[in-house]
Amino acid sequence: LRCRPLSVEEQKANVQSAVSCNDTKREVTVLNSLFKQADKTFTFDTVFGPKSQQRAIYDHAVAPIVDDVLEGYNCTVFAFGQTGTGKTYTMEGEMMQQVGELPTSAGVMPRAVRHIFDILEAQKADYSMKVTFLELYNEEITDLLASEDQSRFLEDRHKRPTLSLMEDGKGGSVIRGLEEIVVYSPGEIYSLLQHGSTRRRTADTALNMQSSRSHSVFSIYIHVKVTTTGNRELIKCGRLNLVDLAGSESIARSGAKEVRAREAGELNKSLLTLGRVITALVEDSVHVPYRDSKLTRLLRESLGGKAKTCIIATVTPSVHCLEETLVTLDYAYRAKSIRNKPEVNQKVCKSVMLKDLYKKMEKMKQDVKAARENNGIYIPDETFVLEEAEKKIMRDKVEHMELSMEKQSKELEKYRSLYLAEQKHRLNLEGQNKELKVTIETCKREFLDLQEAHSRANMSLKEKDFIISNLLHAENVILERAKVLCGTVETASGDIADLQNKLGRQSKTEVENKGLLFNFRSQLDQSLGLLRNTVVRSSANHLKRRIAKAKDMHTSGVQCMNELVNTLRQRSITDSEQMKLNISSQAIAVDNFLAVMVSEAEQVLTEVLRSTSELKELLAFSAEQQELGLQKSLTSAQAMSKTSIDFFNDISTHASRLMKLMKQSQRGCSSRLAEFEKGFEEAAIREEQAALDKIAGILAGLTARKTTMVSEYVGQLNERYSEEQEHLALEMSSLQQVSDNGKKEAASCAEKLKNQILEDMSSHANTKDKMGDVLQQCLKGSHHSVSYWSHTQSCLEHLNKSSV
């Protein structure tokens, strides 16, 4: 892709650039952000920005193509784009009249010519070369190298003799009467290019000062002699087509009027056909419309054929031509996906080629001899030209009518086969629809059964809720009894506290008694000391009296002390025995109470566990039954959905089979039409030859009669085709309606059933989870109560032991 720079006039008018080229990434970005839209980026094999040079374009894009031509391939290079984007400048550029260095502005054509001669001279090859140069204007082919009087050409340039385009029977095209000129040097080719370019039709428009109003094709035929093993000489043939297309243009923007407007219309028509051909090739279409335009017939080998092709798309960065630029980029990007299948031209033996040349020379000699001896049919030039023009017009009309007949017959066969297939398919659909209705009724019955099972499950859930409420009530009763037990335990703990206080008072009394005994001992020691002192001072008598008194006093004191000790010991024994009896009685009562409470708690826990296990088994059985019912419903719904999917898959399979039958029918019709076309052409040629032998008037009558016959036949086909098409359209619409209704009804029923089943399953799962959580909480509460009472019993036992 090549983007030209802004022109001087555009720069003076401050026209914005709407195209950005990235040569490194090979991307072209259209700046739609100027219009508040998203930018579009296209990727190509090579991108040349506004600053690119002619030599760089040739070296990267065209030079490998020229090397392939010299290897024996047929190759094509053509420029494609809007008017005024530089197609002719890229292809031709500045021509060079003399031998020497090429100017920097030289285009693809002169550079290719110089490249070819440089390679052949470097190889010192034995070669021959010939060129042709033609112009396609308003669907008429003109030879730009034909020899004629220059003055006559200038006076009547719009009445040039046109050439006819023929099929070569190998998928290619042959132009009858196109002059081939043998060349020996680059200078000769430059002169021919310059001569042919000046004869091309150009005009001044608002978009371009010198706009090409026609397509041109410059072809170079190269024959190179190759010596193989055994000194056998072969001729290697290659052809290079350099095509300069006229640009597409908007008539309103280019300012074309009258003749120029008609020219633009024809150009746009041929380029539109080229776009349709590119689209058909990219989409791998069965029918490629090559025959809709002579331009596409000329480029048939280059687009999807055996040639190697290089397309140079040219665009302008001007924001005023943004729409045309987007169209060009889109077509070029799609054309990049076309895949040709290049094949090397078969090498021809030199003797065979010379034999063909001798045959052509003999034919030309016979033509010259017949002209000299007046041995043949001669008519005036004007009559011959008129008859040739009329024959050409008639051939074009017949060709157009044959194409339309071929297309209509293909469509007729297609719709007929479609109608038959759809009729058959409609019957199958009706049968399948009945089966589907029966299946739906069965599913409805199963759904009612499922609803009944669901109601039963709800009833069982209500029963389970009642059981759970009873369990909760029993748990509340247990909690009340636990509160009463807690009060009893608190009373017992108060009694134990009083007992501990009594024990404290007793220990205090014992401490006081120990204090009194200590004081008595101390007083006794003091008295004995005083007695000893008295004994020392007094005399022996007095001492004896005192000693006797002291002994009496000591004896009485000892007796008093013994009595006091016995009294205290007896009282202590009595009090301790009483305390032991109180403590043991209290401990036995507490132990009995706790044992009774633990046994009752264990009985309640056993009952709770038993009822909980029964409830769990009941819940598991109910859940299993509900899951089985839901699973059956889901299985039936899946089976119904699978049946519906298989039904619609069968519809798509029948449709694909129908398309295959259509393609086969199309191929058969095309072969029959080709045979009809061939027979019609042969009959027309024979009748025209006979008419030429007799009189020109008979030719006109025969032509009119054939035209009338073909038009009547085509009219009948059109009427029959329109009637069958209307009938087929009605049948197709009714069949489509039935299929759509059946599909919608089946899809809605399956979806509703599936949603309801999934809701039931989810609600059942939630209920099951909640019941499991409640049971777990009950079990946890029961175990906690038992552990609590066990802990209480152990604590009281420990307290009793410590108190004792």
Side-chain angles (χ1 to χ4, degrees), residues 246-373:
S248 60
E249 64 183 31
S250 173
I251 296 176
R253 188 175 292 142
S254 65
K257 297 180 180 179
E258 298 178 357
V259 177
R260 295 289 172 258
R262 288 195 296 273
E263 290 176 353
E266 290 293 333
L267 291 175
N268 290 338
K269 182 180 177 182
S270 61
L271 292 173
L272 182 63
T273 304
L274 176 61
R276 291 205 310 270
V277 168
I278 291 174
T279 302
L281 289 172
V282 170
E283 296 176 354
D284 294 329
S285 179
V286 178
H287 175 66
V288 182
Y290 289 113
R291 297 175 65 87
D292 292 354
S293 172
K294 289 187 178 180
L295 174 64
T296 53
R297 291 174 67 183
L298 287 172
L299 298 176
R300 182 169 185 172
E301 186 183 21
S302 304
L303 296 172
K306 300 178 181 179
K308 292 190 175 184
T309 305
C310 173
I311 301 177
I312 302 175
T314 58
V315 295
T316 173
S318 174
V319 72
H320 298 312
C321 301
L322 184 60
E323 184 177 354
E324 290 83 354
T325 300
L326 281 171
V327 172
T328 302
L329 289 172
D330 185 58
Y331 272 121
Y333 183 75
R334 299 181 73 181
K336 194 163 70 74
S337 302
I338 298 175
R339 291 291 176 266
N340 290 5
K341 298 177 182 178
E343 294 182 4
V344 181
N345 294 324
Q346 187 177 2
K347 296 179 181 179
V348 183
C349 184
K350 184 177 180 181
S351 59
V352 175
M353 192 171 181
L354 289 174
K355 186 176 180 181
D356 293 337
L357 291 174
Y358 282 134
K359 286 182 179 179
K360 290 182 180 178
M361 289 173 62
E362 288 295 329
K363 185 178 179 181
M364 293 172 67
K365 286 180 181 179
Q366 291 177 3
D367 294 340
V368 171
K369 183 177 179 182
R372 286 178 180 174
E373 297 177 355

Side-chain angles (χ1 to χ4, degrees), residues 460-478 608 611-612 615 619 770-771 774-775 778:
S460 63
L461 288 174
K462 289 180 180 179
E463 293 175 357
K464 292 166 188 172
D465 290 337
F466 179 72
I467 294 172
I468 290 171
S469 63
N470 290 334
L471 288 174
L472 291 175
H473 179 68
E475 186 178 359
N476 292 328
V477 172
I478 292 171
V608 170
S611 60
T612 303
L615 181 61
L619 282 173
K770 290 180 180 178
M771 294 293 292
V774 170
L775 290 173
C778 291

Side-chain angles (χ1 to χ4, degrees), residues 21-27 44-45 47:
C21 298
N22 191 332
D23 300 358
T24 306
K25 293 184 178 180
R26 303 180 299 169
E27 291 180 350
F44 299 96
D45 295 332
V47 173

Side-chain angles (χ1 to χ4, degrees), residues 27 81 135 148 207 228 234-235 246 314 423 429 481 508 547 551 559 612 615 670 771 777 782:
E27 291 180 350
E135 177 187 46
E148 58 180 342
L207 295 175
T228 60
L234 299 177
I235 304 298
T314 58
Q423 285 282 357
L429 284 176
R481 296 189 66 178
K508 187 177 180 181
I547 291 171
K551 285 182 180 179
Q559 289 177 357
T612 303
L615 181 61
S670 60
M771 294 293 292
Q777 290 177 1
S782 302

Side-chain angles (χ1 to χ4, degrees), residues 512-789:
E512 290 176 353
N513 292 330
K514 287 181 181 179
L516 291 172
L517 183 62
F518 181 74
N519 291 329
F520 175 76
R521 285 180 181 178
S522 63
Q523 291 177 2
L524 181 63
D525 290 336
Q526 288 178 2
S527 300
L528 288 175
L530 290 173
L531 180 62
R532 189 174 58 247
N533 293 328
T534 303
V535 170
V536 172
R537 291 191 201 102
S538 64
S539 59
N541 295 323
H542 184 70
L543 181 61
K544 288 180 180 178
R545 290 193 298 271
R546 288 286 184 94
I547 291 171
K549 288 180 181 180
K551 285 182 180 179
D552 294 333
M553 191 176 180
H554 180 263
T555 304
S556 62
V558 169
Q559 289 177 357
C560 289
M561 287 296 295
N562 289 327
E563 292 175 358
L564 179 62
V565 168
N566 292 326
T567 303
L568 290 174
R569 183 180 290 116
Q570 190 67 32
R571 186 183 298 175
S572 176
I573 291 169
T574 305
D575 290 339
S576 67
E577 288 293 333
Q578 186 65 30
M579 287 173 64
K580 284 182 180 180
L581 290 172
N582 291 333
I583 290 172
S584 63
S585 63
Q586 290 290 336
I588 290 168
V590 171
D591 287 338
N592 293 331
F593 172 73
L594 289 176
V596 170
M597 291 307 298
V598 168
S599 63
E600 289 180 356
E602 287 179 351
Q603 290 177 1
V604 172
L605 178 61
T606 304
E607 291 294 327
V608 170
L609 291 176
R610 185 176 57 78
S611 60
T612 303
S613 61
E614 291 176 356
L615 181 61
K616 185 180 287 187
E617 291 176 358
L618 182 61
L619 282 173
F621 179 74
S622 176
E624 185 177 358
Q625 293 297 321
Q626 287 187 357
E627 286 181 358
L628 287 174
L630 292 173
Q631 193 67 30
K632 289 180 182 178
S633 302
L634 184 60
T635 305
S636 62
Q638 289 177 351
M640 184 181 70
S641 177
K642 184 175 182 301
T643 305
S644 302
I645 293 170
D646 294 339
F647 167 66
F648 291 111
N649 287 334
D650 292 338
I651 290 178
S652 61
T653 304
H654 287 303
S656 61
R657 192 179 304 157
L658 182 61
M659 292 299 294
K660 290 181 181 179
L661 292 174
M662 285 168 56
K663 291 181 180 179
Q664 293 177 0
S665 176
Q666 286 180 356
R667 287 195 291 269
C669 291
S670 60
S671 62
R672 289 196 296 273
L673 284 171
E675 293 175 359
F676 171 73
E677 181 181 359
K678 183 176 180 182
F680 185 79
E681 288 180 356
E682 291 177 355
I685 292 171
R686 287 197 300 272
E687 290 181 359
E688 287 177 3
Q689 187 65 34
L692 286 173
D693 292 338
K694 294 178 182 179
I695 193 165
I698 298 174
L699 177 61
L702 289 173
T703 305
R705 183 168 58 82
K706 288 187 289 184
T707 304
T708 304
M709 179 181 67
V710 172
S711 62
E712 290 177 355
Y713 182 67
V714 170
Q716 293 175 0
L717 282 178
N718 285 330
E719 291 176 358
R720 193 184 313 161
Y721 166 70
S722 61
E723 292 176 358
E724 292 183 354
Q725 189 176 15
E726 291 177 357
H727 186 64
L728 182 61
L730 291 174
E731 293 293 334
M732 288 283 286
S733 63
S734 63
L735 180 62
Q736 186 67 28
Q737 186 67 30
V738 171
S739 177
D740 292 340
N741 292 334
K743 186 186 292 184
K744 289 178 181 178
E745 186 176 357
S748 62
C749 289
E751 188 66 24
K752 288 179 181 178
L753 186 60
K754 185 177 180 180
N755 292 333
Q756 192 163 7
I757 290 171
L758 292 176
E759 289 177 359
D760 292 340
M761 290 179 72
S762 62
S763 63
H764 172 66
N766 293 331
T767 306
K768 184 178 179 181
D769 293 338
K770 290 180 180 178
M771 294 293 292
D773 294 338
V774 170
L775 290 173
Q776 290 296 328
Q777 290 177 1
C778 291
L779 289 174
K780 286 182 179 178
S782 302
H783 287 295
H784 182 68
S785 300
V786 173
S787 62
Y788 175 72
W789 289 116

